[in-house]
Amino acid sequence: MNAIDPAARMALAKFAVGQPVPRSEDPRLLRGEGRYTDDMNLPGQAFAFIVRSRNAHGVIRGISTEAAKAMPGVLGVWTGADLAKAGYGGLKCTMALKNRDGSAMKMPPRPALATDKVRYVGDPVAFVVAETAVQAKDAAEAVELDIEELPAVTRASEALLPGAPQIHAEAPGNVSLDFHHGDSEKVAAAFAGAAHVVRADMVNSRVVVSAMEPRAAIASFDAPGGRWTLNVGSQGVFGLRNSIADDILKVPHDKVRVLTGNVGGSFGMKAQVYPEYVCLFHAARALGRPVKWTDERSDSFLSDMHGRDGEVTGELALDRDGRFLAVRITGVGNVGAYLAQVAPIPPALNIAKNLVGQYRTPLIEVAIKTVFTNTTAIGPYRGAGRPEGNYYMERLIDIAAAETGIDRVDLRKRNHIRPEEMPWNAPSGMTYDSGEFTAQMDQALALADWSGFAARKAESRARGRLRGRGIGAFLEVTAPPQKEMGGIRFGKDGSVTIVTGTLDYGQGHASPFAQVLVERLGVPFESVRLVQGDSDLLIAGGGTGGSKSMMASGAAIVEASAKVVEAGRRIASVALEAAEADIEFAAGRFSIAGTDRSIGIMDLAARIHAGMKLPEGVPATLDVDHVFDAAPSAFPNGCHIAEVEVDPDTGVVEVVKYTAVGDFGTVVNPMLVAGQVHGGVVQGIGQALMESVRYDEHGSVLTGSYMDYAMPRAPDVPSFTTDYHSVPARTNPLGAKGCGEAGCAGALPSVMNALADALSEFGIRHIDMPATPSRVWAAIRAARK
């Protein structure tokens, strides 16, 4: 029998699935060798600057560009009228959900530049292109806007009131979508017959996405070939290319190329087409040269899509034994002035999908109106409705525990879906395939030293601090993976390149994808390269978002690897002069069964590149282009436990202890998964305690810089204790469930539940996010009166 070299076997084991392999790109990034969009410059490029409205709402009476055109270095100034004349399409919402009555949701058109009205502070109305970025900015300040100001409204609940300013004529009453899920009559009957009903008004506060890298782009146009190229930070070049070609330029897909290098964060925000890209295309064609634009941080607070922003009333019905009978969410979701590409998903559909979480809840009803306001558009932000759905449920459970006197842990456990009940058909329409929620919670409670809390609380009180603990038990419904490419290329230089349509914008895809390939093909880890950011090289690609990259690209790599082995067996039979049926493959080597004769897959690839003669009918290469069909959503879940301290004299809240146990199915790389959890938890803490976009009565942003908008920093978070309770998914080849957004889903409820627990001695049952010192202090002061 063929014996595999022990050293080779050890090398494969070191980089196998389940090993904490460091991110392979980090040394290059730490040396400053990353290539982000603003690092790129093309010969002869000009520079653009966007002119934005300073009014939140108003009629455009005129735009004077003459003074700007006369300034030094200016190459052109364009308005929405110019773009309309050129025939560009508008930015589209691609998720057209139905209203509760079956009618179509209201989807007003959105041109790249406003032509009739401005609808939020930051609404783009014109742009300037000049020889230098400074000249473009100077000239932009010379563009004169004549805007007749109109009243503005920034809160969704106020936009529904009689007499509220109307944002779009196409959407009377400012309602875009009247979303409804569930059986109202059955839910009402369950509430009517319930032994206990709890109710809470909850605010899901608006946040700035604040990616480390501001958006930037360079557009160029090849006139002879009629071909457009956009260098841009994105979340997937294939889908973005298709949107640009179909919706904006109205040209065949092969006439557009999208290139993405390194991306410094996105969290959902950089996935869609933005107005600036249309402006760059127009200028590039008009001037016959590339045009570059890089956002400034102050503008990005206005121009980048914001996240979250909802106001709901949550209700939970229980029987006399504390069993959940029904849960109901009613409220509004703020979509801003225009519809983002997936606008109705976070505030409406994903609430319905994620609300019941881990619990055996027979009935749900979700009724959300998505509402236009004079604010920046709302888009997906780490979790995109998944954290909110879990937050609403977990807050209601803690309130129910307090009102019924049932221990909060016991209340959760008695309502957990049990492993033997899988697959579980949830009232959301989802079918859960796996999960061990009670065992996972027990693991988290032990890891958090739940039983030792009393001593820690006493120690905090001795220092004049209140201490509380909270549970955030969550289950997320990931985005269903779209068709995804799994290309594998064996290079002449000994490299092996994975080509796939997800996109790494900080996750660290290179190492875990390589681990999957190493395990399947036995190729050297250091030889593996990853290509994701060139639309010309892709035949499919769903992009990265919704915690689905490993389920999509990972599965594509698994299936493509099987095709490589299939082709390799046929080629190896020629190299080894044996029958194809006698060729076996293991640990990177093709061998003749029952003998010691073999050839490594890398050696076989080298022989092919050297001109190996192959008979007709035998594959001429090991290279594979494969497309993986979409798998169902997966259901990552977890139990987070937070402890907070509160200074009752100042209202300052500090997260002092944090434990997270997650079920992410097969964990390909535990080091990277832990990093994803840490990042999500920090963002959750940020929203829970400090982050909030605020507007004044005129619609101007009061939190338009880091001087006014608080972000979590290292001293604001404790060290995290993390562990896994893995139950592999049954719906994809790897058994993966996704992990990128789970930290937020656990952090929001665990931190806010812990704060409510700390404040419970004052009779405070609920406090809204963000729980800033002033808000907490005011709540304590009001309770003491």
Side-chain angles (χ1 to χ4, degrees):
M1 297 290 290
N2 177 56
I4 298 172
D5 177 57
R9 187 181 293 277
M10 184 176 296
L12 293 178
K14 178 181 178 181
F15 298 106
V17 168
Q19 295 300 309
V21 180
R23 292 169 29 132
S24 56
E25 68 271 25
D26 281 355
R28 177 174 55 85
L29 296 177
L30 291 170
R31 290 193 299 267
E33 297 171 2
R35 189 164 173 78
Y36 299 85
T37 304
D38 190 52
D39 295 324
M40 302 175 190
N41 293 287
L42 299 178
Q45 73 185 17
F47 296 84
F49 195 89
I50 309 299
V51 180
R52 303 185 185 279
S53 172
R54 297 178 182 177
N55 300 95
H57 198 197
V59 178
I60 300 174
R61 296 302 184 191
I63 302 175
S64 176
T65 63
E66 296 308 312
K69 289 178 179 178
M71 294 187 68
V74 172
L75 301 170
V77 182
W78 293 273
T79 66
D82 299 311
L83 298 188
K85 185 177 180 180
Y88 300 102
L91 282 67
K92 288 188 176 181
C93 171
T94 59
M95 297 294 180
L97 302 184
K98 296 292 186 181
N99 291 308
R100 67 162 67 206
D101 63 4
S103 62
M105 64 181 286
K106 304 298 184 183
M107 304 173 69
R110 184 188 184 182
L113 297 178
T115 56
D116 57 344
K117 292 203 309 181
V118 294
R119 293 175 169 86
Y120 71 101
V121 172
D123 206 350
V125 294
F127 70 103
V128 177
V129 176
E131 294 288 354
T132 71
V134 171
Q135 289 173 331
K137 184 175 181 179
D138 286 346
E141 294 178 356
V143 175
E144 297 179 7
L145 305 180
D146 181 5
I147 296 175
E148 179 185 336
E149 190 169 8
L150 298 173
V153 60
T154 60
R155 289 192 63 183
S157 56
E158 294 175 359
L160 293 178
L161 297 176
Q166 295 299 291
I167 316 302
H168 295 277
E170 298 86 350
N174 294 321
V175 176
S176 169
L177 171 69
D178 185 7
F179 175 84
H180 184 265
H181 176 92
D183 188 319
S184 299
E185 291 186 4
K186 289 182 179 180
V187 170
F191 272 89
H196 306 283
V197 173
V198 297
R199 182 180 185 276
D201 295 327
M202 294 174 277
V203 173
N204 177 32
S205 48
R206 175 183 284 246
V207 297
V208 168
V209 175
S210 191
M212 185 179 296
E213 175 205 21
R215 286 188 300 115
I218 309 174
S220 55
F221 178 66
D222 173 31
R227 197 157 193 259
W228 311 78
T229 301
L230 184 70
N231 295 80
V232 66
S234 74
Q235 291 187 197
V237 295
F238 190 81
L240 184 60
R241 186 275 309 270
N242 293 351
S243 294
I244 290 170
D246 294 341
D247 301 334
I248 305 300
L249 300 177
K250 303 175 183 177
V251 297
H253 291 173
D254 63 2
K255 293 298 182 181
V256 180
R257 184 184 190 188
V258 175
L259 297 166
T260 295
N262 292 116
V263 182
S266 175
F267 311 111
M269 179 266 291
K270 294 176 182 174
Q272 75 165 56
V273 180
Y274 274 86
E276 295 86 357
Y277 310 159
V278 186
C279 298
L280 297 179
F281 283 133
H282 182 75
R285 180 167 63 176
L287 299 174
R289 56 195 288 192
V291 181
K292 180 176 182 179
W293 164 82
T294 300
D295 211 357
E296 295 183 344
R297 182 62 71 178
S298 56
D299 272 6
S300 74
F301 271 78
L302 308 174
S303 64
D304 294 350
M305 287 185 296
H306 291 172
R308 313 291 196 226
D309 202 342
E311 305 166 61
V312 306
T313 297
E315 299 168 281
L316 180 63
L318 305 88
D319 68 15
R320 65 182 67 260
D321 297 318
R323 309 289 181 184
F324 300 161
L325 300 175
V327 61
R328 182 164 55 199
I329 298 292
T330 308
V332 293
N334 193 336
V335 294
Y338 301 100
L339 292 177
Q341 187 174 27
V342 295
I345 302 302
L349 182 62
N350 272 355
I351 302 298
K353 283 186 175 183
N354 292 269
L355 178 62
V356 296
Q358 304 178 357
Y359 305 106
R360 197 188 305 107
T361 311
L363 295 168
I364 66 170
E365 182 178 9
V366 176
I368 298 288
K369 290 183 178 180
T370 63
V371 181
F372 290 112
T373 63
N374 296 115
T375 62
T376 297
I378 292 288
Y381 172 75
R382 202 165 193 167
R386 300 173 187 88
E388 298 95 302
N390 283 280
Y391 169 73
Y392 297 149
M393 188 68 173
E394 289 295 291
R395 284 297 299 125
L396 289 171
I397 292 173
D398 260 29
I399 294 170
E403 292 188 5
T404 63
I406 302 173
D407 176 78
R408 70 190 109 169
V409 173
D410 181 53
L411 184 58
R412 286 174 168 86
K413 286 184 177 182
R414 69 177 65 178
N415 286 284
H416 272 158
I417 300 163
R418 295 186 293 270
E420 63 269 20
E421 295 174 314
M422 299 291 182
W424 176 263
N425 294 319
S428 60
M430 300 291 102
T431 300
Y432 301 171
D433 66 294
S434 58
E436 298 175 353
F437 309 132
T438 299
Q440 178 190 77
M441 181 170 287
D442 286 337
Q443 184 177 338
L445 293 170
L447 199 61
D449 187 25
W450 185 265
S451 61
F453 176 75
R456 295 190 295 277
K457 183 173 183 177
E459 188 276 331
S460 296
R461 188 172 294 279
R463 293 184 286 105
R465 300 291 188 267
L466 310 174
R467 193 176 187 114
R469 57 182 174 176
I471 296 172
F474 67 91
L475 180 143
E476 294 186 294
V477 181
T478 67
Q482 299 168 279
K483 291 182 182 295
E484 189 54 77
M485 180 177 177
I488 299 175
R489 310 274 191 274
F490 289 82
K492 290 182 179 181
D493 60 354
S495 64
V496 184
T497 299
I498 298 169
V499 184
T500 191
T502 54
L503 197 132
D504 180 352
Y505 48 88
Q507 291 86 351
H509 285 172
S511 286
F513 288 0
Q515 287 174 260
V516 174
L517 193 68
V518 167
E519 182 164 278
R520 297 288 167 159
L521 294 183
V523 298
F525 178 86
E526 61 275 7
S527 71
V528 181
R529 308 288 182 266
L530 177 62
V531 171
Q532 299 174 300
D534 186 345
S535 63
D536 277 3
L537 300 180
L538 300 176
I539 57 175
T544 291
S547 297
K548 63 178 173 57
S549 291
M550 187 53 71
M551 294 177 292
S553 286
I557 293 165
V558 167
E559 293 186 352
S561 296
K563 291 182 175 292
V564 170
V565 172
E566 180 183 346
R569 289 179 66 248
R570 299 176 66 186
I571 300 170
S573 71
V574 177
L576 297 173
E577 299 179 333
E580 180 184 337
D582 292 333
I583 301 298
E584 298 177 339
F585 180 77
R589 299 193 71 80
F590 295 96
S591 61
I592 303 174
T595 76
D596 61 358
R597 294 182 59 207
S598 67
I599 184 171
I601 191 170
M602 299 301 289
D603 294 330
L604 189 61
R607 288 184 62 176
I608 295 170
H609 281 299
M612 177 183 179
K613 300 296 184 183
L614 294 168
E616 186 176 348
V618 174
T621 178
L622 292 173
D623 295 353
V624 166
D625 281 338
H626 173 68
V627 175
F628 166 69
D629 275 334
S633 295
F635 305 94
N637 57 88
C639 181
H640 290 201
I641 298 174
E643 293 186 16
V644 304
E645 282 190 342
V646 180
D647 183 341
D649 294 326
T650 65
V652 171
V653 180
E654 182 181 0
V655 181
V656 294
K657 196 172 190 293
Y658 201 97
T659 303
V661 174
D663 172 12
F664 306 117
T666 300
V667 175
V668 175
N669 188 316
M671 179 187 298
L672 269 64
V673 170
Q676 286 292 306
V677 172
H678 292 176
V681 169
V682 171
Q683 284 181 273
I685 291 173
Q687 182 183 0
L689 299 183
M690 59 195 75
E691 294 188 55
S692 181
V693 179
R694 300 295 179 89
Y695 290 89
D696 68 13
E697 66 275 18
H698 303 293
S700 294
V701 180
L702 300 176
T703 51
S705 77
Y706 293 130
M707 295 294 290
D708 303 296
Y709 186 87
M711 293 278 291
R713 303 182 182 186
D716 297 317
V717 298
S719 294
F720 303 120
T721 301
T722 60
D723 202 357
Y724 306 110
H725 188 94
S726 298
V727 183
R730 302 170 186 171
T731 54
N732 64 80
L734 280 171
K737 291 183 177 177
C739 66
E741 296 157 316
C744 280
L748 291 184
S750 64
V751 170
M752 294 307 290
N753 279 341
L755 177 57
D757 183 51
L759 299 177
S760 62
E761 64 182 72
F762 298 109
I764 298 171
R765 288 271 168 84
H766 179 73
I767 189 169
D768 276 321
M769 302 182 292
T772 58
S774 61
R775 178 171 286 175
V776 174
W777 179 84
I780 294 173
R781 186 167 180 266
R784 281 174 165 170
K785 288 183 178 179

